Amino acid sequence: MTLLLFARRCYRMQSYTTRQFTCRRSLGPAHNRRFDLRVPTMESSRRFFGKRRDIADDYPASMEEMLKEIPDELFPDPQTFLRMYPKTSPPYLDESPESPPKKEVFLDTKNCKSIKEVVTLAIRDMDSLTPANLAAAWVRIAQLLPKHRGSIPAGEEGNQTLLHHLDRLLYQTIYLSEDFSPKDLSGTILAMAKIVQNARRMYGTKQVEVYLHPVHEVFLGDAPDYLREIMRPFTETIVYFIQDFDARCLSNVCYAYALLGMNPKLDRRNTLFRSVAAEVLKKVNEFNGQDVSNTVWAFATMKVSDSDLFQSLGDAVVGNDALLSSMKPQELSNTLWSFATSNQSHHGLFAKIGDSIASQNDLQIFEPRHLSMIAWAFATANESHPSIFKIIGDSILRYQDLKSFKNEELALTVWAFATSNVHNPKMFKRIGDSIAGYRDLRLFQAQHLTMVVTAFATAKVSHPRMFKKIIDAIIENDELRSSFTNENISKVLGAFTALNVSHPDLFEKIGNAGEQPHK
């Protein structure tokens, strides 16, 4: 590694390593906050890069020696750079070999009942926290955030205090990221991803201003690339030490970045997911059912097509009966969904999983979302497996009512059966009765209603009461009607025509809607 590359790396790291770090965020009025961050010393930098044998020997012996090699256009004034990055940290932060080792503390986050308790406990022992302590703190915060609305104190003063403490915890985690074990690092990133996911999901509701605003502010801020900058040091650490990551750590990294919706670029051709995929292929035999499911789900969600990875993980499932038998319904449905969504063909995988599910006496442990997703995956992948459709249909008929099924799940199920040419009139009637029994269909999306109508038409199953319910909803609800695209309108009219369903008011209303421009 050249000195220039190292200097550029130091320059890029300024956003989270300068001693006086200014962060602008909007918290009502414009707001400036300054943080005293720990500055990496030359010794800690050598320790970090020294783990890579290929570049350890090229490292400068001192900060002064490195500065002599830095071009003026990069750092015009070396003395200014020295003031920004002093040769040693403050005495109480010194990590040189002569310094006494830190006394490790036991951070009992499991007994914390609120986010405030977790953060307060961590802040109290901040200087003594190990990477394992920090990882445990973030995992507990992620667990508490969606479950405990009162976990964040109300009021401006309480929010500001928690905001400051969360900032300290975050930047301490960033600074020590190079010392994290693969297990702690991947666990921390996954916990942060879940925190961000919940903050995004709940942002904009009334409870956010009181309960979630500090968390949202810490991770998302008001800049579009703020989260990406926070994740950058973690990404770099993962790439440098990826050869030390086992199957669980690799799958957690993929899953976390997919939740964040990020696939950071490492250079012009390579991305984080590509780098992880190369490592997965080396360790595919170490993957268990959950690892396989999370990995393929992440690649499918991020639309990263890697045939070698999908083929290898699919082969691992097919060739390992113990692995397949250990997979839970969620993992089975996610795996099938991922292959179907990514258009990755693997007949052996679908046949093996289909046989495994069909061999069960009943599917009581499978939730409605699992049943609908499995049926959808087989239909989308064009995989024929009559036994799997039979047992799914029988399981649906065992429900006393279908209130536990979401609108989307009902639509996907009938669409999958119709697309796969599976004849099950009893199941269609049951689903039709359920939809017809709704008080109104305002919660249905236009796409789902279109899927239901076209599925009944394809299966040649008539259900006048459901059809009337759908027709009345389209006529009476202007918002629903306006959400129909031209393609949806064409499919609905074609389906009703094929089923000999006549309704002049519908054709007039939906025809007028069809004349309007749609996205």
Side-chain angles (χ1 to χ4, degrees), residues 321-484:
D321 292 338
L323 186 153
L324 178 58
S325 62
S326 69
M327 296 181 74
K328 300 176 182 178
Q330 181 69 49
E331 295 162 2
L332 292 171
S333 59
N334 278 355
T335 300
L336 294 175
W337 175 88
S338 302
F339 275 80
T341 300
S342 301
N343 196 26
Q344 296 289 338
S345 177
H346 200 300
H347 177 73
L349 176 73
F350 278 85
K352 189 80 172 182
I353 293 180
D355 291 342
S356 176
I357 296 174
S359 65
Q360 303 183 32
N361 294 329
D362 58 66
L363 303 182
Q364 291 183 355
I365 62 174
F366 285 75
E367 298 177 13
R369 58 195 175 100
H370 303 146
L371 299 175
S372 63
M373 192 57 65
I374 290 171
W376 178 90
F378 272 88
T380 302
N382 197 25
E383 291 285 347
S384 177
H385 201 299
S387 299
I388 192 73
F389 282 96
K390 182 180 184 305
I391 195 171
I392 289 176
D394 293 343
S395 298
I396 292 175
L397 292 174
R398 290 193 184 99
Y399 281 82
Q400 293 182 355
D401 58 62
L402 302 183
K403 293 181 180 179
S404 58
F405 281 76
K406 296 181 180 179
N407 305 335
E408 179 183 5
E409 293 162 358
L410 294 174
L412 290 176
T413 301
V414 293
W415 177 89
F417 273 72
T419 301
S420 299
N421 295 319
V422 177
H423 189 63
N424 194 329
K426 291 183 179 180
M427 190 202 71
F428 272 77
K429 182 180 184 303
R430 187 69 178 279
I431 292 179
D433 291 342
S434 178
I435 295 175
Y438 277 50
R439 178 176 299 179
D440 59 65
L441 302 182
R442 288 182 297 176
L443 297 180
F444 271 85
Q445 297 181 14
Q447 178 185 1
H448 299 152
L449 290 177
T450 302
M451 293 176 70
V452 170
V453 173
T454 54
F456 273 76
T458 302
K460 298 180 181 179
V461 177
S462 180
H463 199 297
R465 194 158 63 93
M466 185 193 70
F467 295 155
K468 183 178 185 303
K469 188 76 173 183
I470 293 176
I471 290 171
D472 292 343
I474 296 174
I475 292 174
E476 298 170 1
N477 193 322
D478 293 338
E479 183 179 355
L480 174 62
R481 187 172 62 253
S482 64
S483 66
F484 276 77

Side-chain angles (χ1 to χ4, degrees), residues 478-495:
D478 293 338
E479 183 179 355
L480 174 62
R481 187 172 62 253
S482 64
S483 66
F484 276 77
T485 64
N486 292 331
E487 182 181 2
N488 290 337
I489 292 173
S490 177
K491 289 182 178 180
V492 169
L493 293 178

